[in-house]
């Protein structure tokens, strides 16, 4: 019997519509480095979706690259970035932010989320410290929507965070590696125009949301980082055939494909969550997006492991194990049916 | 009448065989970060082509990224890299090497090539300098095959450079952004096994040789850079869907596609070179690969510019302009016929 | 009535013996960059005091510079340094470690000290993590003796930390900015030879222990960092007149001056501590060295502040304020008498 | 017979007036990090000498540190610094500028000096380059007064360089490691007020001009680099006992000591130059300051080497050797008499 794969949301190639469009446009000749017509069209569609007609948009290849490039170029040399302890930049980017010269200032977070109050306290403590000229200045807040634990900031929460940042002159940056799954979530009330209004920069994830690769970095206000194009090049993040990213985002933002990809994955994840609940399994986080975090005891783990591929997340203090199952645009009804049958 | 495009070798998508293979494998589930079966198969094929069964191979997205990652991780903090003044790392990578902390030590070069004698002189001068502990140690030699001017190192030249490097304990790294066009050149006598035998690292270019994107970094000796995988991640150069690069290189190294791509482009470039000669135009460099560097006076430039897209290269001291025309796998007979008709 | 100054241990110039020796040697001509006879003599005396005849010793100008240079050159690019949350490198060096490309991995610590168990847990967690190739590898442990809170590692504690480090192949580095005050402490059982035996690097503080400036970086094993001299130069930390640091350390390590400076300051601090206890004041840490951390309520603070200069340390949760008083070689009996009279 | 030492201008301690003042002030208690009264007094005296009442002044420990800190903090990440091929930052600072992330853009220079025309050509070439967004932007010009070859910019030359810089929006920074010897030179017509008017930053050298250590970094316009204090700390260049540098500069700028030190050394160097000329020796550069660059053949070198310590500079193409002799405030008439007697 075949294995069932729920290891991650980047196990397949790309949504078929993307491959079709790449084939269709393959012999069109275009200029390099993202100055082509496809990339420009993708930018226009994203600007429209964000209701941010002046936004500056760049297509980069991956999430760590986008985070390191945006954070490293927006911060000034005496500044660091505030992140939750579970934040991707804090844990799983091999020290990319520090390699770029900046401290990641950790706050505990709750269910993967920073609170406006904790951020305010951190900023006020710095501002009040007599030794602050010997210290790293918090210059930016980094958060993920959805978070690394699959949870969501509500609009009210994001507005509160944004307000604190603006009151203290600190930038707000949102990592949208899995943004499609947030946008598609019934529980979600944060739209792309909200992100554009509340953040100084964010990226719309492609790699984990149906593209071969690619993230769309959005600066709602053009010129936020002077010479950003050159800095992207300097960091080895400029794609010679920029069109390949452009065509993918053009496709994702045509006919509602990005939303559709998100919806399909969230629906499958919700089916898994309901089945887990129905069968009496606990879940570690109230994650409504495309990631599911069940708790299994050793016997369950052994039995399920024979049939289902999933990711180890962490040991729970009570001895059980938190695992992660992820769905994607490619997850089919029958895959989830088979999984549920195993539980 | 349509424009004729000879601006660069990255104006189209990818060789159709690559798109087909991406479509064919699209729904196969695989592990991320280059640990998938496609990437492993591509590595095996490249090892075989290089006759380097122990080689360590990583797939990165682009040339500047590959150069910065390899050079930055092979050099120790007190070292710099020797390059020709026309070298890509010296001029057109936005200071990526220096941003990584290392000096590019410039030697004049001839027709874009470093000579073993100049390198030896540079190394001996450093070694003899009483103040060398206050100076940057040359720790690596960077060269391009073919060079940025489309010229080629002969095997004898490359052997001489390699010998100097090894005598002085200095690494040798070859940038193969356009390697397919060198390998396909009748004038060329440097093979992939030669590169593997003579260099400590090199990369086989995909982006400019028919792929959507991607370069295969080859360390003939595995473990040359400890923790290279993590350092690739730290630099934002690790592809989550590593398979996309792997599938492309697997395709390029199946059935001789990489050679075929090179040959086709070189044949078209040679047709252009012959026509230029026949019609009395001078060429700036004796470049036998896929780039052609004709000299035009202002009247010629104006006339041709109405029909042909090419790249400005540099002003010649005599007032004429050196232009660059590049061919690729996608250049057709009729494109070159039409170009020749214009000359 | 004059103010009483207990703000820090670097409020005066240098111990008079140092100024005398500088004057005495002023016209002797010597080579630059620490290759002079005075520096060599100082190295020999330090080697003898550490019973480390093979030690490699460099004189740098200050503590942050020493920390950033040693940590930044001992760590490899994929590594970070473990420190207590109260560690100087974590808080008060303006992000110098991160500016050099490395993460400071925070552990909570107790009274400013790391425990061997916490370090072991951190190392084992990293080693067991399936995603560790996407993470920063802990490559070094940083601790301070005495700590930033004036507390001391016992020999048993330091041995335990050293054992864990060696078992896991991780370096151990001790910041000895105030080492004289540890060595002079009756409670202390860690000697210079112990530090040399247990650490891979440490520095013997001069700036805060009676010198005009200067720290002696000691690598018990010569060659620990290849090309360290050049890296010191690259970081702008090489003194052209290296002799000025050399002469100071030669003086400090002649006739027991370093110990004498420590003893005098610790004796005065102990008098303050006893007086505080006698008068019913609490102290925040059990700090036996030259720093005293009394808790004052607002009224006390106001009254004492009119006469005594001290440093704000932190607000205590109970509303009182932790202040810091520091003594030095220059603190006189009458200064402490006057202070005690105020309490 | 004793050796005669002309190896460098940093072979002794400090001018006796500095040691006296350090002794005199030794027990005065003051605040740290350059916020003390001595440093403030030194700043006022330097502002007066520069007729730059608004200047921001920081005292750093050495020249490489000052260069790396000023250049690294004034440049933005996409920029590099133009320097002469003989510039100290280009050759003898162990790659400190590149370690800070920035390219040193080399221009040939003449007798160690950059010409305004060469700078303009370099800036215009960059501005006209179609690929400039893939290139390092020249963001600053670095020059030394006197140069590394002991030569001087005339006021007209410096004005021309400054004009080009301002026309192109590029900063101008002058390295004054040996500035006392320029200011004291009869041939010199560039004053401190000229430097303050024409440069965006410069430093007044102490280490090579009679101090134990220390350079005064001057920004004629305060706030040129935001958060400069914190960046100095981050680079390990902040002296805890900042007063030690402050006292030295206060002394150097009291009663004309800095000029007097310069004049004495230049007078002795001029005596050597005249004797060389009278005895028929060639000199490599027309260097009117405290450095002398005679050409010796092998026999002369051998004979003189037995009695005189000097520095090797370079081999001359004609087989002779260029040596360097340096004088300082400590060079006495009898030393020069003895040297001349040897020639």
């Amino acid at each position: 019997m075949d294995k069932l794969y729920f290891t991650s949301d980047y196990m397949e190639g790309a949504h078929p519509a993307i491959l079709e469009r790449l084939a269709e446009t393959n012999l069109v000749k275009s200029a390099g480095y993202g100055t082509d017509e496809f990339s420009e069209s993708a930018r226009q569609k994203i600007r429209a979706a964000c209701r941010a007609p002046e936004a500056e948009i760049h297509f980069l290849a991956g999430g760590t690259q986008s985070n390191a490039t945006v954070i490293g170029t927006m911060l000034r040399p005496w500044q660091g970035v505030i992140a939750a302890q579970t934040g991707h930049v804090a844990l799983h980017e091999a020290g990319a932010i520090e390699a770029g010269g900046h401290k990641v200032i950790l706050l505990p977070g709750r269910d993967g989320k920073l609170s406006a109050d904790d951020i305010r306290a951190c900023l006020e403590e710095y501002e009040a410290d007599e030794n602050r000229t010997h210290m790293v200045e918090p210059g930016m807040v980094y958060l993920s929507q959805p978070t690394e634990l699959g949870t969501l900031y509500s609009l009210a929460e994001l507005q509160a965070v944004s307000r604190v940042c603006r009151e203290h002159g600190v930038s707000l940056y949102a990592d949208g590696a899995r943004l499609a799954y947030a946008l598609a979530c019934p529980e979600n009330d944060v739209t792309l125009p909200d992100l554009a209004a509340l953040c100084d920069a964010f990226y719309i994830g492609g790699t984990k949301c149906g593209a071969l690769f690619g993230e769309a970095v959005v600066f709602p206000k053009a010129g936020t980082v002077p010479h950003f194009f050159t800095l992207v090049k300097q960091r080895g993040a400029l794609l010679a055939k920029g069109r390949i990213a452009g065509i993918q985002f053009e496709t994702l933002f045509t006919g509602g494909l990005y939303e559709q990809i998100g919806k399909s994955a969230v629906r499958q994840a919700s089916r898994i969550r309901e089945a887990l609940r129905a069968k009496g399994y606990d879940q570690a986080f109230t994650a409504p997006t495309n990631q599911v975090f069940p708790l299994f005891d050793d016997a369950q783990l052994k039995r399920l492991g024979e049939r289902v591929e999933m990711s180890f997340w962490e040991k729970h203090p009570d001895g059980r194990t938190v695992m992660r199952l992820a769905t994607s645009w490619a997850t089919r009804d029958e895959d989830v049916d088979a999984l549920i049958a195993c539980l």
Side-chain angles (χ1 to χ4, degrees), chain A:
Chain A
M1 219 164 34
D2 282 353
K3 283 264 183 171
L4 296 166
Y5 290 91
F6 289 89
T7 324
S8 78
D9 34 23
Y10 43 90
M11 304 189 71
E12 294 89 8
H15 191 281
I18 284 177
L19 288 189
E20 279 160 32
R21 181 73 179 145
L22 284 174
E24 206 173 283
T25 58
N26 194 44
L27 291 179
V28 178
K29 289 170 195 299
S30 67
Y33 305 111
T35 61
D36 62 280
E37 63 192 288
F38 305 110
S39 299
E40 193 42 43
S41 161
R43 284 187 201 102
Q44 281 302 1
K45 286 170 186 284
I46 291 174
R47 285 187 194 109
C50 295
R51 276 185 237 137
E54 307 297 329
E56 178 180 335
I57 299 168
H58 298 260
F59 301 109
L60 275 67
T64 296
Q65 185 177 83
S66 299
N67 289 337
T69 303
V70 172
I71 295 172
T73 61
M74 286 189 72
L75 290 178
R76 299 301 300 275
W78 59 89
Q79 297 178 325
V81 58
I82 292 174
Q85 275 178 332
T86 49
H88 206 253
V89 296
L91 276 182
H92 289 124
E93 301 193 352
I97 303 305
E98 292 87 354
H102 299 284
K103 192 182 192 74
V104 181
I105 301 163
L106 296 181
L107 293 185
R110 189 176 308 175
D111 286 347
K113 294 194 287 178
L114 294 167
S115 79
D117 285 348
D118 285 357
I119 294 169
R120 178 182 293 109
C122 170
L123 296 174
E124 289 180 351
E125 190 181 0
Y126 168 78
E127 290 159 7
D129 198 310
E130 294 180 14
N131 290 316
R132 68 184 172 282
T133 58
H134 292 235
M135 295 168 74
V136 174
E137 180 185 86
M140 179 188 266
V141 170
Y142 163 93
L143 54 78
S144 308
Q145 175 79 333
T147 70
E148 294 72 14
L149 310 186
T151 55
L152 289 175
Y153 286 84
S154 70
L155 181 56
E157 288 170 337
L158 197 66
Q159 285 170 330
V161 168
S162 179
R163 198 176 313 119
V164 170
C165 288
R166 290 185 179 170
E167 282 167 15
H168 291 266
V170 158
S171 304
L172 177 58
Y173 168 58
D175 178 333
R178 295 188 166 94
L179 191 55
Y181 309 118
L183 297 175
C185 214
E187 287 83 347
N188 176 60
D189 62 352
V190 178
T191 64
L192 280 172
D194 291 331
L195 285 169
L198 297 171
C199 298
D200 299 287
F202 62 101
Y203 83 82
I204 302 171
T207 307
K208 294 176 177 170
C209 302
L212 294 170
F213 69 88
E215 327 295 328
V217 171
V218 181
F219 296 107
K221 189 173 155 193
T224 297
V225 178
H227 294 251
F228 190 73
F229 179 93
T230 300
L231 294 172
V232 168
K233 173 74 184 170
Q234 188 182 74
R235 288 161 178 266
L238 187 65
L239 293 158
K241 291 182 180 170
R243 64 192 267 163
I244 306 302
I247 290 165
Q248 294 185 80
F249 274 95
E250 193 196 27
T251 307
L252 289 170
F253 279 82
T254 298
L257 180 59
Y258 197 66
E259 289 80 352
Q260 180 186 323
I261 283 172
K263 272 193 181 132
S264 169
V266 170
R267 192 175 64 82
Q268 301 294 6
S270 296
R271 291 181 59 211
I272 301 171
R273 277 188 287 265
E274 279 156 36
L276 285 165
R277 267 191 293 270
K279 301 199 177 193
Y281 291 94
D282 291 328
Q283 296 176 49
F285 318 109
T286 54
T289 54
N290 76 317
Q291 301 185 90
V292 185
F293 297 89
L295 283 143
F296 296 127
D297 65 29
D298 288 353
Q300 291 161 344
L301 206 55
K302 186 167 184 306
R303 181 171 56 78
L304 284 166
E306 284 165 17
R307 187 72 208 289
V308 185
E309 290 285 323
M310 36 193 176
S311 297
F312 170 85
W313 194 256
E314 61 183 9
K315 292 300 294 181
H316 194 269
D318 71 8
R320 287 182 297 172
T321 303
V322 183
M323 299 299 287
R324 187 192 71 171
L325 293 90
T327 60
S328 79
W329 58 272
T331 309
R332 297 167 306 170
D333 279 343
E334 54 262 46
D335 302 327
V336 174
D337 292 343
L339 170 69
I340 291 173
C342 297
L343 289 174

